Amino acid sequence: MADQLLASLQSMGQLLLAMDTGVGLLIGVGLSMSASHLFALLANRLTPKQIVLHMIVDALVLSLAFLLGILCHSLMLMLLEGVPLQPITFANHMGAAMWPGLFYVLAAAPYVSDLIAVTLLAWIHLNVMLLLQAVYNIPLETSLVVALPGFVLALLLVGLLFAQRWRTSYTMLATEVSALTSP
């Protein structure tokens, strides 16, 4: 069992090395998305070490969510269009679609954060559809069907992580505030 796990981790490492362009951009997007939590982490008076740890873990999990979405795109492309499954090449092409996510840190802005987040995520999805059309010559209607399941999967994973982190952060802050205000 341990040998299988080690072999799986090694093959995953080789896969990540082969996808250097796409993975680098995915990690940048993950860092930008985790940076949008910075104010909540600072409000909870975490130490700088704890903040860095939270941001790194969040960035890696968010990057993994988008990577799983890209792999789902690749599977849908194979199933619907008969394009041979090449996750490394596909991820490098689709990694370029993720660049608007580098601005996700702006979603921390008060009052307009939801609008910014939705706009950036829609822009990423549109980029994926356009890249599917440009690289694989797939009509936009078909690229919507190919890209939608992976996009929904990534959004669900991102939403679950954000909901859990924000709930934990605000619960912690609320208990500290109530402890300060009660006699």
Side-chain angles (χ1 to χ4, degrees):
M1 171 108 173
D3 291 337
Q4 288 177 336
L5 180 61
L6 186 59
S8 296
L9 289 175
Q10 286 175 343
S11 71
M12 186 176 180
Q14 293 301 321
L15 178 74
L16 291 176
L17 284 175
M19 294 189 322
D20 60 354
T21 306
V23 171
L25 194 56
L26 280 176
I27 291 174
V29 169
L31 283 170
S32 178
M33 292 180 90
S34 69
S36 67
H37 288 127
L38 186 60
F39 296 117
L41 296 173
L42 288 171
N44 283 312
R45 294 185 302 230
L46 297 177
T47 66
K49 198 181 227 182
Q50 290 173 318
I51 291 172
V52 168
L53 180 66
H54 275 278
M55 288 183 66
I56 288 172
V57 169
D58 283 352
L60 291 174
V61 172
L62 290 165
S63 299
L64 180 63
F66 281 110
L67 184 61
L68 289 173
I70 287 172
L71 291 175
C72 186
H73 296 334
S74 181
L75 288 171
M76 290 296 293
L77 191 60
M78 182 189 72
L79 291 172
L80 295 177
E81 293 295 315
V83 175
L85 185 63
Q86 297 174 340
I88 294 170
T89 306
F90 185 77
N92 277 330
H93 287 305
M94 292 302 118
M98 302 298 290
W99 72 267
L102 294 173
F103 299 106
Y104 199 89
V105 69
L106 299 174
Y111 306 114
V112 293
S113 62
D114 291 340
L115 177 64
I116 292 171
V118 168
T119 303
L120 290 173
L121 292 171
W123 193 359
I124 290 170
H125 186 60
L126 177 64
N127 284 348
V128 169
M129 290 172 44
L130 293 174
L131 275 171
L132 284 170
Q133 181 184 27
V135 174
Y136 298 104
N137 200 23
I138 296 172
L140 280 177
E141 300 83 24
T142 307
S143 67
L144 176 65
V145 174
V146 168
L148 195 59
F151 187 69
V152 169
L153 173 68
L155 284 182
L156 286 174
L157 293 173
V158 167
L160 287 173
L161 177 71
F162 276 179
Q164 187 271 334
R165 286 289 187 187
W166 282 93
R167 186 174 45 247
T168 302
S169 295
Y170 286 115
T171 302
M172 189 169 145
L173 184 60
T175 56
E176 286 183 14
V177 168
S178 67
L180 290 174
T181 58
S182 46

